[in-house]
């Protein structure tokens, strides 16, 4: 059985996130540790961590992942924004460790006109400033490529690690299906899926892909637009997700959906992934 869940709220406490995930039918999950559109990291103490770990263990739920705030921009040429970003990521990594959450993911950011090479180098420099806790793996998320964002290609993601003082012992990759599709990676056929897997393996190494975000796309292949749709209901379609979640390269990875919050909801998408994986 695939390990799949959804992004859930921490309102009322981190242990409440476990209860919400259980109600959705998920066996893994994703949370924020602060407002996704602010810089403040929620104060997390040992009692929060103990309650969360106990609830997750009781329901045999995990591994969990924390998603970084959307304001983070490691690619920026602006030093003040870079300093805020590094401080925020460090705080969120430390919160992961306190909670016992083994994964943390964030978007590398945008170079805002400084150029892709400079943007990638900036990400590497800021990664080098981090003290990644021993029990947490930081994951770079591939991007759709809109505007001046970096991380659209697997080669760029690998360069961010290679140019930093970090290694793949502390850093990995989270692949987002909507972003892959928007960036021009077509895995809607079996042949296309094999080509995607080969490209990931050559540039990054499959062993460094540690988590997956499952989102369909509202826009065509290569659009560079990051707008999520329900699994199987968008431009990727059921066939694309069938190839993705059942391929031997990714079938055992933890997966979370970040699909629209409308009439279908997360529970529908979690069940849809399970049905496609059967």
């Amino acid at each position: 059985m695939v390990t799949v869940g959804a992004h859930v709220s921490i309102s009322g406490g981190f242990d409440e996130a476990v209860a919400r995930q259980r109600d959705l039918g998920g066996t893994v999950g994703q949370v924020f540790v602060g407002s996704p559109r602010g810089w403040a990291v929620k104060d997390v103490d040992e009692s929060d961590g103990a309650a969360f770990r106990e609830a997750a263990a009781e329901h045999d739920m995990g591994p969990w992942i924390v998603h970084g705030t959307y304001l983070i921009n490691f690619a920026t040429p602006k030093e003040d924004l870079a300093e805020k970003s590094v401080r925020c990521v460090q705080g969120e990594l430390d919160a992961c460790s306190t909670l016992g959450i083994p994964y943390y993911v964030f978007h590398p950011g945008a170079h805002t006109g400084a150029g892709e090479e400079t943007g990638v180098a900036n990400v590497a420099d800021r990664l080098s400033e981090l003290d990644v806790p021993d029990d947490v793996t930081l994951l770079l998320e591939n991007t759709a490529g809109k505007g001046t964002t970096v991380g659209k290609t697997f080669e760029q993601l690998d360069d961010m690690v290679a140019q930093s003082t970090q290694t793949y012992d502390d850093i990995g990759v989270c692949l987002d299906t909507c972003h892959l599709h928007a960036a021009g990676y077509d895995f809607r056929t079996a042949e296309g899926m094999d080509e995607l897997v080969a490209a990931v393996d050559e540039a990054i190494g499959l062993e460094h892909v540690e988590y997956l975000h499952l989102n369909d796309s509202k826009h065509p292949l290569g659009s560079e637009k990051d707008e999520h749709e329900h699994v199987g209901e968008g431009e990727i379609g059921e066939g694309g997700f069938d190839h993705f979640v059942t391929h031997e390269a990714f079938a055992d990875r933890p997966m979370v959906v970040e699909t629209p919050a409308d009439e279908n909801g997360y529970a529908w998408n979690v069940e849809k992934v399970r049905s496609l994986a059967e």
Side-chain angles (χ1 to χ4, degrees):
M1 179 183 292
V2 295
T3 52
V4 60
H7 186 102
V8 290
S9 170
I10 60 170
S11 177
F14 287 97
D15 52 330
E16 288 299 314
V18 175
R20 292 186 180 96
Q21 195 67 246
R22 183 189 66 234
D23 291 343
L24 296 174
T27 55
V28 296
Q30 178 175 273
V31 293
F32 292 120
V33 287
S35 167
R37 304 191 185 281
W39 290 109
V41 179
K42 185 176 177 63
D43 290 331
V44 181
D45 58 29
E46 286 301 331
S47 63
D48 294 318
F52 175 79
R53 291 191 296 272
E54 181 179 349
E58 179 183 353
H59 298 287
D60 192 24
M61 191 179 292
W64 284 74
I65 186 169
V66 165
H67 197 299
T69 176
Y70 298 136
L71 297 182
I72 295 164
N73 188 352
F74 272 26
T76 180
K78 299 178 180 179
E79 286 302 323
D80 57 340
L81 177 55
E83 290 175 7
K84 285 183 179 180
S85 297
V86 170
R87 187 163 55 248
C88 181
V89 170
Q90 187 64 61
E92 292 179 331
L93 285 167
D94 293 341
C96 283
S97 185
T98 301
L99 290 164
I101 293 180
Y103 292 107
Y104 171 81
V105 62
F106 76 109
H107 303 163
H111 63 74
T112 63
E116 289 183 358
E117 288 188 8
T118 298
V120 169
N122 285 344
V123 175
D125 288 345
R126 280 79 193 237
L127 288 174
S128 298
E129 296 181 41
L130 297 172
D131 180 13
V132 182
D134 291 340
D135 54 354
V136 180
T137 301
L138 181 152
L139 305 182
L140 298 170
E141 182 171 346
N142 66 301
T143 64
K146 183 177 180 179
T148 64
T149 56
V150 294
K152 174 182 176 180
T153 68
F154 306 137
E155 290 77 13
Q156 284 187 351
L157 294 173
D158 185 62
D159 284 344
M160 292 170 190
V161 181
Q163 294 177 30
S164 77
T165 59
Q166 306 285 358
T167 70
Y168 280 118
D169 290 336
D170 296 312
I171 296 181
V173 170
C174 173
L175 294 181
D176 183 299
T177 52
C178 176
H179 300 174
L180 288 171
H181 179 82
Y185 293 103
D186 192 355
F187 51 92
R188 292 173 293 183
T189 64
E191 180 182 18
M193 186 65 205
D194 287 340
E195 291 174 356
L196 171 68
V197 168
V200 173
D201 197 28
E202 181 178 358
I204 298 171
L206 290 173
E207 68 274 21
H208 302 310
V209 177
E210 309 220 25
Y211 226 99
L212 304 171
H213 284 166
L214 302 183
N215 304 296
D216 212 324
S217 174
K218 291 183 180 292
H219 301 282
L221 180 72
S223 66
E224 296 189 342
K225 294 181 179 180
D226 179 14
E227 191 173 2
H228 298 182
E229 180 58 278
H230 296 293
V231 171
E233 300 293 303
E235 293 289 328
I236 297 173
E238 288 189 1
F241 281 96
D242 188 5
H243 295 308
F244 197 90
V245 302
T246 61
H247 198 286
E248 62 181 2
F250 299 144
D252 64 345
R253 301 299 198 274
M255 312 172 184
V256 294
V257 298
E258 304 167 313
T259 43
D262 56 25
E263 66 275 4
N264 282 350
Y266 285 147
W268 184 92
N269 284 275
V270 168
E271 182 54 36
K272 185 64 171 285
V273 172
R274 287 212 176 92
S275 69
L276 292 172
E278 290 177 352

